[in-house]
């Protein structure tokens, strides 16, 4: 269906956003740990938290930048010890995804956050994998795992993690780069990404969230990534914007995250609409939904409420999420056909 063909009215947008099938391409599974589950797992595993209650923990979610969030995020992950814990965390996410009509999710996981505390790699990946399988059979939600390297650690540590992961190579589809961006440029991880490319893994990296446009350029030119996670600072370099548009490189944007981490002061100031107007392949994602105030549909609704987006933008964003995913062309075509049916139904009612 061609863009700008829809006459669906503004008051129908919430129902349309809910009904349309979509893919989530940028979410950290450890960032889906709700305070209630953190406390339940702490109790189950005998872990002491430095917050007295769920309410006190949630009240601490007042971040000033990425690092202030990461400090709490890594502390929250300390309750994950057993395979069942990883399974329970991912299963809770999949229930939310299903409720939002997410039909496919590519989940980031941070093995070093766990292996650094003595949790074996196998425990992490088997717990996540069994939840992915369960999501497929019980919910009809498709998913895949992307292993992220923590960029505040050394490349040697990332290489060691890659070695540990090799017996489980069949359980994840790609690698990414996350954690503290400033001062840890993509080129720090050139060798490990080159090795991952040889292994046939998909490659993505966080870049241009807090870091400058050069980090996006080096993620593309040095790491050879296929998607940029965030990438919102690309607008500071008009040549880069033109290149991203020409190449059709996807930017997996996370609107609520960007507000919570003060990348933009308010949603009205978010540049997502500008990125779309430049012809960039933007997708909407939740990043760390338990910490940033919403899952997929809340990200869509908050963005649409403040940026004057319409049904044509909703179609573009959902279609981009399928096109930028790492599934086969035939699977993408099936989901886009479902998307077309949803929009045709709403269009006929308008
Ligand atoms: N890890 C979890 N969320 C992240 C984000 N938004 N940026 C970088 N690393 C992260
Ligand atoms: Zn992220």
């Amino acid at each position: 269906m061609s863009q700008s063909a829809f006459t669906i009215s503004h008051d129908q947008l919430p129902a349309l956003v809910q009904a349309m099938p979509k893919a989530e391409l940028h979410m950290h599974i450890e960032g889906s740990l709700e305070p209630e589950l953190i406390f339940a797992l702490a109790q189950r595993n005998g872990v002491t938290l430095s917050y007295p209650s769920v309410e006190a923990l949630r009240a601490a979610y007042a971040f000033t930048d990425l690092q202030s969030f990461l400090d709490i995020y890594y502390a929250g992950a300390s309750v994950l010890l057993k395979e069942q814990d990883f399974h329970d965390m991912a299963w809770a996410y999949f229930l939310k995804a299903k409720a939002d009509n997410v039909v496919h999710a590519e989940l980031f996981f941070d093995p070093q956050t766990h292996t650094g505390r003595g949790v074996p790699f196998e425990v992490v990946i088997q717990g996540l994998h069994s939840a992915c399988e369960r999501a497929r059979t019980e919910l009809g939600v498709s998913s895949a795992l992307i292993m992220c390297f923590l960029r505040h650690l050394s490349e040697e540590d990332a290489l060691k993690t890659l070695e540990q992961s090799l017996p489980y190579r069949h359980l994840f589809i790609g690698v990414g780069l996350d954690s503290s961006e400033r001062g840890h440029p993509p080129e720090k991880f050139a060798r490990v990404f080159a090795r991952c490319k040889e292994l046939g893994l998909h490659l993505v990296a966080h870049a241009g969230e807090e870091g400058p446009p050069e980090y996006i350029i080096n993620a593309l030119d040095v790491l050879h990534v296929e998607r940029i996670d965030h990438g919102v600072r690309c607008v500071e370099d008009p040549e880069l914007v033109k290149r991203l548009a020409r190449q059709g490189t996807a930017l997996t944007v996370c609107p609520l995250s960007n507000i919570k981490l003060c990348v933009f002061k308010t949603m009205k100031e978010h540049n997502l609409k500008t990125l779309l107007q430049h012809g960039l392949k933007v997708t909407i994602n939740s990043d760390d939904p338990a910490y940033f105030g919403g899952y997929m549909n809340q990200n869509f609704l908050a963005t649409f409420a403040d940026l004057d987006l319409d049904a044509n933008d909703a179609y573009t964003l959902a279609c981009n999420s399928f096109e930028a995913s790492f599934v086969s062309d035939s699977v993408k075509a099936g989901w886009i056909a479902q998307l077309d049916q949803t929009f045709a139904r709403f269009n006929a009612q308008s």
Side-chain angles (χ1 to χ4, degrees):
M1 192 167 298
S2 78
Q3 280 181 43
S4 69
F6 305 114
T7 53
I8 302 163
S9 67
H10 255 257
D11 52 343
Q12 280 290 90
L13 283 176
L16 179 69
V17 161
Q18 172 59 41
M20 68 183 189
K22 55 190 81 70
E24 169 138 73
L25 306 180
H26 180 166
M27 75 86 51
H28 304 260
I29 197 60
E30 292 90 348
S32 72
L33 262 184
E34 293 286 347
E36 289 78 5
L37 188 53
I38 291 179
F39 271 79
L41 293 178
Q43 195 171 32
R44 189 159 97 186
N45 289 330
V47 173
T48 308
L49 294 167
S50 39
Y51 295 90
S53 65
V54 164
E55 293 68 35
L57 177 56
R58 197 168 258 128
Y61 293 179
F63 312 117
T64 49
D65 60 7
L66 176 57
Q67 193 59 49
S68 66
F69 154 68
L70 290 171
D71 294 342
I72 283 201
Y73 163 84
Y74 294 129
S78 69
V79 299
L80 298 160
L81 295 180
K82 312 261 168 54
E83 196 173 313
Q84 187 68 45
D85 305 336
F86 290 91
H87 179 101
D88 292 349
M89 169 175 67
W91 180 247
Y93 165 72
F94 282 125
L95 292 174
K96 301 276 196 182
K98 176 74 181 174
D100 279 352
N101 234 327
V102 171
V103 297
H104 176 69
E106 296 180 1
L107 312 182
F108 294 141
F109 69 108
D110 287 343
Q112 289 154 296
T113 299
H114 315 299
T115 54
R117 299 179 289 115
V119 177
F121 187 95
E122 180 180 13
V123 164
V124 179
I125 198 149
Q126 295 291 14
L128 297 177
H129 174 67
S130 64
C132 291
E133 281 297 295
R134 187 174 168 201
R136 183 175 59 79
T137 56
E138 293 184 28
L139 303 176
V141 174
S142 152
S143 63
L145 296 172
I146 297 178
M147 172 171 77
C148 282
F149 300 118
L150 299 181
R151 66 202 304 159
H152 68 274
L153 300 179
S154 67
E155 187 178 45
E156 279 61 41
D157 211 297
L159 283 162
K160 208 175 76 192
T161 302
L162 179 61
E163 283 305 311
Q164 286 173 341
S165 76
L166 290 181
Y168 312 97
R169 164 70 185 85
H170 56 296
L171 299 185
F172 60 99
I173 60 161
V175 296
L177 189 61
D178 66 1
S179 192
S180 323
E181 186 181 6
R182 279 193 287 235
H184 302 286
E187 55 273 24
K188 179 177 164 187
F189 295 91
R191 285 183 305 152
V192 70
F193 268 67
R195 178 83 189 102
C196 291
K197 194 171 162 68
E198 281 170 11
L199 288 165
L201 287 157
H202 285 292
L203 309 177
V204 300
H206 284 53
E209 177 186 18
E210 285 189 342
E214 298 82 71
Y215 283 22
I216 301 175
I217 294 170
N218 286 347
L220 294 170
D221 291 341
V222 182
L223 303 187
H224 303 289
V225 300
E226 298 158 80
R227 297 194 300 240
I228 296 288
D229 296 313
H230 294 293
V232 291
R233 286 193 60 191
C234 71
V235 291
E236 294 167 32
D237 180 343
E239 283 308 312
L240 174 59
V241 171
K242 281 190 219 149
R243 174 185 177 182
L244 292 167
R246 194 172 60 243
Q247 293 180 173
T249 306
L251 303 184
T252 63
V253 175
C254 306
L256 286 173
S257 163
N258 292 154
I259 305 311
K260 272 286 195 181
L261 301 188
C262 308
V263 174
F264 300 94
K265 275 207 211 80
T266 65
M267 193 62 90
K268 283 197 189 332
E269 291 164 80
H270 198 289
N271 68 6
L272 184 139
K273 185 167 175 162
T274 308
L275 298 173
L276 283 172
Q277 285 168 338
H278 282 301
L280 300 181
K281 197 183 272 296
V282 174
T283 69
I284 285 187
N285 308 271
S286 70
D287 207 7
D288 300 284
Y291 292 89
F292 298 151
Y295 289 76
M296 273 293 264
N297 289 357
Q298 283 157 301
N299 271 275
F300 269 94
L301 293 176
T303 311
F304 274 61
D306 279 351
L307 292 184
D308 192 28
L309 298 169
D310 63 17
N312 300 300
D313 299 309
Y315 182 85
T316 301
L317 289 160
C319 197
N320 287 349
S321 76
F322 295 127
E323 286 178 353
S325 72
F326 292 138
V327 300
S328 69
D329 285 347
S330 63
V331 172
K332 287 180 189 178
W335 284 326
I336 293 170
Q338 282 180 28
L339 183 67
D340 286 348
Q341 279 173 15
T342 306
F343 274 72
R345 183 157 51 84
F346 274 78
N347 221 31
Q349 288 163 4
S350 68

